[in-house]
Amino acid sequence: MTATETHTDSHEESTDPSIDSAFTAFTSNDHKAIGRMWVGVSLLFLLIIATLAVVAGIERTDPGGIDVFGNLATYFQAWTLVRTGGIFMVAIPLMLGIGTAIVPLQVGARSIAFPRLAAASFWTWLMASGIHLASFLADGGLGPAAGTEKDGTLLTLVSLAAMVIALLGGALCIVTTIIAQRPEGMGLRDVPMLSWSMLVAGSVWLFSLPILLANLLFAFVDLQGRDPIFFGDADRIWANLEWAFMQPQLFVVAIPVLGIIGDVVPVATGSRLAGRGIIQTGIGLFGAMTFGAWAQHSFSRGADPAFPEGALLYEEFLFGLFSHLALLGAFIAIGGMLTPLRNGPKMSAALLGSVASALLLLLGLTIGALRTLNNVIGVLLSTSYTGDIDATGARIVAERKLLGLFEVSSDEVFNILHDNNTLLATNTAQFYVAVAAVIAGAAAAIAFWGPKLFGGYARNGAASGAAVTALAGGGLAGIAYTISAFMGQADISVTSVDGDVQFMNVLGLIGIALLLLSGLSMIGAVVGTSNADEVLPDDPWDGHTLEWATPSPPPVGNFIEPIGPITSAEPLLDELEEVG
Amino acid sequence: MEADVMHAPAAEVGRSRTLLIGSALSAASVLMFFAGLFGVYISIRQNNEYLVENQLEGGRLWFPDLAVQIAPGTMMMFTTWISLFTMAWAVQAIRNDDRRNAYVAMGLTILMGAAVINQMVFAITDFGVPIDRSVPSLLLYTLYGAYIAFMAIAMIFVLLMGIRALAGQFDSTNADGIQAAAIIWFTAVIVYMPLWYLITITK
């Protein structure tokens, strides 16, 4: 019996998915139980990370005046833990959990592909996440940090790599399920939107995160045996990993959100999703444009002052192009999916979460497009400049780039080109917006698929509260931190900032606190799941896709009877329309 | 709601392609991992070349002359090429229910893998590049170390599938496991080619 086997014996699966005993939960390889564990644990991690983010946000309010952490090194440790934790302990696992539980039901599979691998992925991730947190307590981290323990840093690197490998394992199971375990007649164009978005997201994760592993390996090897000379150098570790936490790569976490919206809105409005192919293309374009491994520090010739400015400008142009195309893809997908809202839907927590996550995702991408707009325009305009694009040329180009958008001098723009620290501060804004989009999307998913996930209805008020606070918190943090970034706030520093920037940072802090509140509401929605001893209907919302053709909660093997040939993307809606 | 689709004729439960697709996706991930390693190597190598050509600060001699010999690296590549045939032989044999040939072919494939690791260890001890001193040596040994690790994993995977074949799980109607092993093995062979070119040829 190995992890490569594709099916499990039924006696090893959960026999009563609605109420897992502790033993069943620990030993189960039933995808619904594994999905629940991913969701539950990542929500607990959300509370930890959000609390830390609030504390870091307090120092960020006025880094020169407020000293919560005692020194820059510890502040930076907390700052990086919020990033790594937010992406690899909260956002991706949350989406992976929903996908693990729901996707096999949507594609009519009796189990997830490689169920033991799916279980091993969860437990590996859980242990690695615990070690990751502990490594920071052991004075580890990702530098620069005078006084950081080398052993602690090694532990941080190893635990981060283990988390990534575990998440890749989980993604592999989901993508394989979608490709290989669909029933007869269900083409890829017919898979429900969550499954399609998980296919796109899983593929991007499988293709991009191994490159992060390569970066981690270089740093790990460099830290062996003697003082680091390059990749493990305190000033370079984070610089070489940063691409995974900034746009465009940052938004890989939010790809499944589009699928949640695409499944919730048509059901909420009782209408068929129009322009399915275009929406799928939009999700695909968005997914492809979030592949950001190319944007890493090691590949940047422009980052080295020895190189001509032309190289830097080319990279900036590419950066801007990807950002704008990602926004275009998301706009196409979201625009198509939200169109049925014109029919006046019945408001629910699921719909509220969907709309909130859509708005947040567009906000995050717009911040990215705004940040890089001058890159694209500037480089295009620079084509009319006939001289060599040396330092002087770059200055001319930079002046043209402004187009009156921002009141900064050419010297400052020149610094922007050379000092990523300034506009990189928008990364913080985008990070919180992306995580908030995931939280709102997860709130929608829990409210919508609660009967299948937990065997009961999620508490509607708590789920709605989570969606609203995620929208408010993500929106506030995103907008406030973007403004403070354009006003000159560095992403990480200990220098004082002026009053206006402080005010924006306070707003950002309030936004982060709202995200913490959103996490608490999410837990309330899950813990409050109830079936009140009533027999749940298979399809309480008149759903369109196959997961609603099985009892709530689904039995072992997911479906009581084998799924017959599928003839459309919304087989249950077809039947509803036939019945009239 | 009891849907009518539930009463339609049953589809086959579980497609046999699952293991193949999973292996192909794993192989793609491994390729991206090595693409990341190679990308960093090439980028730093190229930057160094620029600095040296323009006599700028920071440029350094990459590998000393004759430090990396052509023969060991090229022999390794030929060995991996031979293993392409033995692995394909195993797949073809299991498809023909010729178990004896399949076991021999898989055994030979694993042997070739062991030979590659042996040659690689020889090459590492033979390199005139001191470990622990410079960025080029750091890159070199990381790349070789990562490849040795992946080759070992590929060998274990082939061995695992061989054991499952011994247990009778694969035959002419279902050769998925052996084909999956072949996908991983071919990936190991493919990965070596750019490694050979980067280290042995262009240095």
Side-chain angles (χ1 to χ4, degrees), chain A residues 60-377:
Chain A
R60 185 192 172 92
T61 305
D62 183 13
I66 301 172
D67 189 6
V68 179
F69 294 97
N71 55 58
L72 177 63
T74 312
Y75 177 32
F76 189 78
Q77 282 174 315
W79 184 84
T80 50
L81 178 56
V82 170
R83 294 293 198 284
T84 56
I87 300 298
F88 294 112
M89 291 165 66
V90 177
I92 292 181
L94 200 49
M95 292 293 102
L96 203 59
I98 290 163
T100 300
I102 302 299
V103 163
L105 298 170
Q106 287 198 321
V107 299
R110 62 183 287 267
S111 170
I112 196 166
F114 313 123
R116 290 188 188 83
L117 176 61
S121 296
F122 170 75
W123 292 110
T124 306
W125 168 78
L126 182 59
M127 283 188 286
S129 299
I131 294 170
H132 193 65
L133 286 174
S135 74
F136 281 85
L137 296 176
D139 207 14
L142 299 167
T148 298
E149 289 288 334
K150 194 165 96 172
D151 289 344
T153 303
L154 283 169
L155 202 58
T156 306
L157 293 171
V158 171
S159 57
L160 186 55
M163 274 196 284
V164 171
I165 291 170
L167 294 169
L168 287 173
L172 180 78
C173 297
I174 294 176
V175 174
T176 305
T177 304
I178 298 166
I179 295 175
Q181 301 203 346
R182 282 171 284 122
E184 190 182 340
M186 182 187 273
L188 277 179
R189 285 193 61 178
D190 299 324
V191 297
M193 280 299 161
L194 175 66
S195 297
W196 174 259
S197 66
M198 284 305 303
L199 177 65
V200 174
S203 302
V204 176
W205 296 344
L206 285 169
F207 289 148
S208 61
L209 295 183
I211 298 173
L212 180 65
L213 286 178
N215 295 126
L216 290 168
L217 180 65
F218 277 126
F220 179 80
V221 173
D222 195 19
L223 280 164
Q224 299 299 314
R226 43 97 178 98
D227 290 336
I229 53 175
F230 196 72
F231 301 101
D233 186 68
D235 291 332
R236 284 183 191 266
I237 295 181
W238 179 252
N240 284 328
L241 305 178
E242 192 176 28
W243 64 268
F245 305 92
M246 56 187 274
Q247 69 159 344
Q249 180 73 22
L250 170 67
F251 289 103
V252 297
V253 303
I255 301 170
V257 165
L258 291 175
I260 293 168
I261 301 166
D263 279 343
V264 169
V265 172
V267 173
T269 54
S271 56
R272 197 179 290 271
L273 195 60
R276 194 177 180 79
I278 295 171
I279 292 170
Q280 284 182 317
T281 305
I283 295 174
L285 176 64
F286 173 65
M289 290 302 108
T290 58
F291 178 87
W294 57 269
Q296 61 178 286
H297 187 266
S298 295
F299 296 166
S300 173
R301 304 195 78 186
D304 193 322
F307 288 94
E309 302 301 333
L312 179 57
L313 291 175
Y314 169 74
E315 287 161 12
E316 292 290 318
F317 176 69
L318 203 59
F319 196 55
L321 190 67
F322 267 60
S323 303
H324 285 78
L325 287 177
L327 176 61
L328 177 67
F331 193 77
I332 291 170
I334 290 173
M337 289 186 292
L338 294 187
T339 303
L341 289 178
R342 289 179 306 184
N343 300 338
K346 185 184 171 191
M347 192 50 77
S348 65
L351 188 60
L352 202 58
S354 297
V355 173
S357 59
L359 292 174
L360 285 165
L361 189 54
L362 289 176
L363 172 65
L365 290 164
T366 303
I367 292 170
L370 188 64
R371 172 187 160 186
T372 57
L373 180 66
N374 47 3
N375 292 348
V376 178
I377 294 172

Side-chain angles (χ1 to χ4, degrees), chain A residues 105-108 183 186 544-550 559 563 566 571, chain B residues 5:
Chain A
L105 298 170
Q106 287 198 321
V107 299
M186 182 187 273
H544 299 172
T545 43
L546 282 181
E547 73 270 30
W548 303 109
T550 185
F559 295 90
I563 300 292
I566 301 299
Chain B
V5 287

Side-chain angles (χ1 to χ4, degrees), chain A residues 4 110 180 206 298 307 575, chain B residues 4-5 13 15 29 43 50 164:
Chain A
T4 57
R110 62 183 287 267
L206 285 169
S298 295
F307 288 94
E575 284 181 17
Chain B
D4 283 349
V5 287
V13 176
R15 291 190 181 184
S29 282
S43 180
Y50 179 88
R164 287 179 64 178

Side-chain angles (χ1 to χ4, degrees), chain A residues 2 4-7 110 113-114 168 172 175-176 179-184 206-208 210-211 213-215 217-218 221-222 224-226 229-231 291 296 298-301 304 306-308 537-539 546 548-549 559-566 571-572 575-576, chain B residues 1-23 25-26 28-30 32-41 43-44 46-48 50-51 56-57 60 132-135 137-139 141-143 146 157 160-161 164 169:
Chain A
T2 70
T4 57
E5 286 192 36
T6 53
H7 291 290
R110 62 183 287 267
F114 313 123
L168 287 173
L172 180 78
V175 174
T176 305
I179 295 175
Q181 301 203 346
R182 282 171 284 122
E184 190 182 340
L206 285 169
F207 289 148
S208 61
I211 298 173
L213 286 178
N215 295 126
L217 180 65
F218 277 126
V221 173
D222 195 19
Q224 299 299 314
R226 43 97 178 98
I229 53 175
F230 196 72
F231 301 101
F291 178 87
Q296 61 178 286
S298 295
F299 296 166
S300 173
R301 304 195 78 186
D304 193 322
F307 288 94
D538 294 358
D539 185 6
L546 282 181
W548 303 109
F559 295 90
I560 294 170
E561 295 177 49
I563 300 292
I566 301 299
L572 300 196
E575 284 181 17
L576 278 175
Chain B
M1 193 191 79
E2 190 65 26
D4 283 349
V5 287
M6 303 300 294
H7 304 297
E12 192 181 322
V13 176
R15 291 190 181 184
S16 60
R17 294 182 305 161
T18 303
L19 187 52
L20 282 183
I21 304 246
S23 300
L25 289 167
S26 306
S29 282
V30 169
M32 292 308 291
F33 169 73
F34 279 99
L37 291 178
F38 295 152
V40 171
Y41 179 91
S43 180
I44 293 176
Q46 222 172 3
N47 282 6
N48 184 68
Y50 179 88
L51 296 172
L56 294 168
E57 196 181 341
R60 62 174 75 83
D132 234 23
R133 285 287 181 84
S134 65
V135 174
S137 76
L138 173 65
L139 290 165
Y141 291 111
T142 305
L143 259 58
F157 194 60
L160 179 69
M161 290 301 137
R164 287 179 64 178
Q169 289 192 18

